[in-house]
């Protein structure tokens, strides 16, 4: 175990050295900080697990994601579904904008940019016409509701801040985590939009990097309805292209990306997570992820957890993930929230800003 630990840390430092040379020039051109120098020397946080096994912790840091089946009961899923329906009933078209949300052509307005400590409604592009009129049943028009359900709604607050979540955060190496955002994602049948390959720290950047996603499907995830997909190990090479989405005073869109996206041309690299409702997926903030609905020859068996040494702080890595459009007749509802390390520096150029501090876990 000790030899594997030392070799893994040497490889991590080599990766960070390459990353430093690659990112410095790009950061200078865009006037933003690069986490490479500070991340490369970040303190390793290794905890004795309180909920996860050491094998699960090792798998998370090695693969960049971890699936915990049967984490939430069917009753718990129904409770969150009902809470979301209550939020939908409060939607007022006279007060709330019919703002669409897309990860393929990111646009922002004040309604979006000021949603960090509020509950706001965002629609699928196929649900709203050019004049902003909803053209489908309103219950099937939403892309997501966010970004402060964990602050403002008692049901989602109870799930987000429960003791088991706190133990898991401890187990993956977070010391003083705070929760900047939460979302209810609908993935509507037929019109549920694509989520392009990305790393979460592109949007929630801290120095050193520290973002961890907690993703809970409230309905079964299948290939047809756009299940989550991830590239195992993609977090080990840092924040790809040092790509960040930041607020912009010059762009007409209100936000801009510091660099073009990394290309992920080989769909075979992505592993679709075909998992039942009530599972919990931990997503390493630097890992590439996606939602998948067309590749059928790959799957992950959530009951097979491979063994590896217990290593690597979340500050060093980020996994890539995505999802394809939902072309099926079945929705794929999910509740997701993100943690960052409270001791890390949350960048003031991040799109999500609030007047008050993020709630601690």
């Amino acid at each position: 175990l000790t030899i594997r630990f030392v070799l893994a840390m040497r490889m991590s430092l080599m990766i960070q050295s390459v990353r430093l040379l690659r990112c410095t020039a790009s950061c200078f051109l865009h006037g933003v900080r690069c986490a490479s120098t500070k991340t490369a020397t970040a303190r390793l946080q290794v905890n004795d697990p309180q909920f996860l096994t050491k094998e699960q912790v090792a798998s998370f840091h090695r693969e960049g994601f971890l699936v915990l089946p049967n984490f939430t009961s069917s009753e718990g899923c129904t409770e969150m579904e009902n809470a979301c329906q209550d939020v939908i009933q409060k939607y007022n078209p006279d007060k709330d904008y019919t703002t669409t949300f897309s990860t393929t052509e990111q646009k922002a307005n004040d309604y979006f940019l000021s949603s960090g400590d509020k509950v706001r409604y965002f629609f699928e592009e196929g649900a709203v016409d050019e004049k902003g009129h909803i053209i489908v049943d309103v219950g099937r028009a939403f892309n997501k509701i966010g970004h402060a359900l964990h602050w403002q709604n008692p049901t989602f607050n109870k799930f987000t801040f429960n003791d088991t979540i706190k133990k898991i955060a401890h187990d993956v190496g977070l010391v003083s985590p705070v929760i900047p955002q939460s979302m209810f994602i609908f993935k509507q049948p037929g019109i549920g939009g694509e989520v392009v390959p990305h790393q979460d720290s592109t949007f929630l950047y801290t120095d050193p990097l520290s973002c961890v996603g907690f993703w809970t499907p409230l309905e079964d995830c299948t290939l047809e309805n756009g299940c989550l997909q991830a590239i195992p190990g993609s977090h080990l090479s840092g924040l790809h292209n040092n790509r960040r989405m930041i607020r912009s005073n010059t762009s007409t869109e209100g936000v801009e990306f510091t660099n073009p996206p990394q290309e992920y041309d080989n769909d075979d690299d992505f592993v679709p997570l075909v998992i039942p409702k009530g599972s919990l997926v931990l997503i390493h903030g630097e890992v590439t992820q996606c939602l998948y609905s067309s590749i059928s020859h790959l799957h992950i068996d959530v009951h097979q957890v491979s063994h590896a040494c217990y290593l690597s702080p979340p500050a060093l890595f980020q996994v890539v993930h995505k999802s394809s459009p939902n072309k099926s007749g079945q929705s794929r509802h999910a509740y997701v929230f993100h943690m960052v390390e409270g001791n890390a520096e949350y960048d003031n150029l991040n799109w999500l800003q609030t007047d008050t501090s993020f709630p601690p876990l």
Side-chain angles (χ1 to χ4, degrees), residues 239-357:
L239 189 57
H240 299 179
N241 283 358
N242 203 50
R243 179 172 166 84
R244 296 177 52 199
M245 190 178 86
I246 61 174
R247 292 195 175 210
S248 173
N249 294 324
T250 58
S251 171
T252 57
E253 306 298 345
V255 295
E256 64 178 333
F257 287 97
T258 58
N259 285 305
Q262 177 83 24
E263 297 296 330
Y264 306 100
D265 298 326
N266 189 356
D267 282 341
D268 289 349
D269 291 339
F270 285 93
V271 176
L273 306 184
V274 179
I275 56 178
K277 72 176 185 180
S279 302
L280 176 65
V281 183
L282 301 179
I283 301 170
H284 216 305
E286 288 183 42
V287 74
T288 304
Q289 50 182 313
C290 72
L291 294 173
Y292 184 80
S293 65
S294 60
I295 302 175
S296 59
H297 65 285
L298 292 173
H299 73 281
I300 184 169
D301 185 347
V302 299
H303 299 292
Q304 293 180 357
V305 180
S306 55
H307 294 255
C309 60
Y310 180 37
L311 55 89
S312 304
L316 294 180
F317 309 109
Q318 298 284 344
V319 77
V320 177
H321 51 288
K322 74 176 184 179
S323 69
S324 297
N326 183 2
K327 300 298 185 182
S328 77
Q330 175 61 48
S331 60
R332 198 229 60 210
H333 294 171
Y335 174 62
V336 58
F337 58 92
H338 293 90
M339 294 184 193
V340 297
E341 179 55 61
N343 294 327
E345 182 177 357
Y346 185 83
D347 199 282
N348 59 13
L349 292 178
N350 286 341
W351 80 266
L352 191 151
Q353 302 290 334
T354 59
D355 293 331
T356 56
S357 299

Side-chain angles (χ1 to χ4, degrees), residues 32-251:
V32 299
R33 291 192 301 274
C34 178
S36 297
T37 303
K38 191 170 182 179
T39 299
T41 58
R43 177 172 58 90
L44 181 66
Q45 182 68 30
V46 178
N47 300 319
D48 290 328
Q50 297 178 351
F51 180 81
L52 303 176
T53 67
K54 287 189 176 183
E55 290 76 17
Q56 288 174 322
V57 174
S59 179
F60 170 70
H61 288 307
R62 184 185 66 254
E63 304 296 332
F65 60 90
L66 179 69
V67 178
L68 301 176
N70 303 315
F71 181 80
T72 301
S73 67
S74 178
E75 291 77 14
C77 292
T78 299
E79 184 180 5
M80 285 189 276
E81 289 275 18
N82 291 339
C84 183
Q85 289 302 313
D86 291 340
V87 174
I88 291 175
Q89 294 302 315
K90 297 178 182 178
Y91 170 72
N92 186 341
D94 295 328
K95 293 183 179 181
D96 290 288
Y97 293 90
T98 50
T99 299
T100 59
F101 179 82
S102 169
T103 62
T104 58
E105 186 180 359
Q106 188 65 56
K107 297 180 181 179
N109 54 25
D110 184 66
Y111 184 80
F112 174 79
L113 291 174
S114 62
S115 63
D117 55 358
K118 301 174 181 65
V119 175
R120 294 277 173 84
Y121 306 84
F122 303 96
F123 292 84
E124 290 287 355
E125 290 185 302
V128 179
D129 64 19
E130 295 178 354
K131 297 182 179 180
H133 299 141
I134 300 173
I135 57 176
V136 299
D137 179 75
V138 68
R140 298 182 62 179
F142 297 106
N143 172 287
K144 69 176 182 178
I145 295 177
H147 291 95
L149 289 168
H150 63 297
W151 273 7
Q152 306 294 344
N153 184 279
T155 297
F156 294 107
N157 179 278
K158 179 178 68 173
F159 178 83
T160 306
F161 292 91
N162 73 66
D163 289 340
T164 302
I165 294 292
K166 294 177 181 179
K167 291 178 181 178
I168 293 173
H170 166 276
D171 291 350
V172 299
L174 294 170
V175 179
S176 301
V178 297
I179 304 178
Q181 75 168 12
S182 58
M183 299 172 284
F184 191 101
I185 301 174
F186 290 85
K187 203 69 171 180
Q188 300 286 5
I191 62 172
E194 174 188 14
V195 177
V196 298
H198 66 281
Q199 296 170 290
D200 288 339
S201 284
T202 290
F203 307 94
L204 298 173
Y205 184 90
T206 63
D207 187 3
L209 299 172
S210 62
C211 184
V212 178
F214 289 67
W215 196 91
T216 298
L218 305 180
E219 298 177 299
D220 292 342
C221 301
T222 68
L223 297 173
E224 293 73 26
N225 69 6
C227 65
L228 191 70
Q229 295 180 72
I231 301 179
S234 57
H235 59 307
L236 298 174
S237 53
L239 189 57
H240 299 179
N241 283 358
N242 203 50
R243 179 172 166 84
R244 296 177 52 199
M245 190 178 86
I246 61 174
R247 292 195 175 210
S248 173
N249 294 324
T250 58
S251 171

